[in-house]
Amino acid sequence: MIQIAIRTIRTLLPASGSVTLEQIATAVDTALTIARYSDLDRDLLIREVQSIYNIRLDEFRVIEARRLPWISERKGSIAFNFWNRYRDYLIVEKGFSETVINQLDRLTDRTLDGLFDPTVNGIIDKKGLVVGQVQSGKTANYTGLICKAADSGYKLIIVLAGVHNNLRSQTQLRLDEGFLGFDTQHERAFRENNLWIGVGRIDQNSIAHSLTSSLSDFSAGAANAIGINFNTNEPIIAVVKKNGRILDRLLQWLSAQATEVDGRRVIRNKSLLLIDDEADNASINTRPENDGTTRINGLIRDIIRLFDKSGYVGYTATPFANIFIPITDDELFPRDFIINLPAPSN
């Protein structure tokens, strides 16, 4: 009830610009005259609304190399349908402040600009890292990045969601709400009879499909059973845990979708965005130099190698292992950019 009351209070406050404590108190008092809110704690409501509007947020910082800017040139021709409904969802359903939304918009633009225009031809391999404190909004950040990437033309998105089932399932649920708009417990593909959740209650015209569900990780049988043509022009997402058996299944399934070119299997008709959550955990090759690779590290790199056009973005609060990776083209070292994600004051 408190969250519903806060949404009502926000409709009584200015849509933009600064908001004073007096304005907040007046809006709260007005809301408390409504019968359903009359028993709520006035001081608690004022504090909650203050935490939304009176937010300090430092500017993010970027270390980068080899960037070829493209977002500003293409932005006018991109219909940001996935991003627009996610932004509306964060404002309406999650109560994000204008300050945080504007920062998220700039930050996801900047991250995407550090990758590549997925509509161009050629062989492209970009790698970056986003560093944020615990509870600094990393999941909201990469969900926003996924939405903008799908709008821009990235057709396959893989999210590596930790090493445990519960974290993978939790991440899938967040992406069901923030990107897909339907509950993957019931359907993995976009259907007219889906159970709409999150962004799907705002707009059902942005179509994407999932190879995984909140109940189960990737399997070739389930991926084939959803009846989606891999070559569809609609975005496809897979949320998988960093487990050797699962990643090997995914690699073999993707290899079956590839074509033989100059003696190697390659996917040329899709740009890959690979999001590595908790990128310092399990993704790093911890074997001594010239002693091969750890299994999960090798499988991640094999998946990336399947694509002519790939972008890898790691997210972590503890980037120490990531920045000590050898700086070679085939490694997961973030050689194109590192972005520091500031936590909001609330």
Side-chain angles (χ1 to χ4, degrees), residues 163-179:
V163 297
H164 300 295
N165 285 325
N166 59 349
L167 180 56
R168 192 214 67 82
S169 180
Q170 178 185 343
T171 301
Q172 178 83 54
L173 284 167
R174 294 281 296 272
L175 289 167
D176 286 358
E177 292 178 342
F179 174 58

Side-chain angles (χ1 to χ4, degrees), residues 208-223:
H209 311 284
S210 181
L211 300 176
T212 53
S213 80
S214 54
L215 291 178
S216 56
D217 210 325
F218 179 84
S219 73

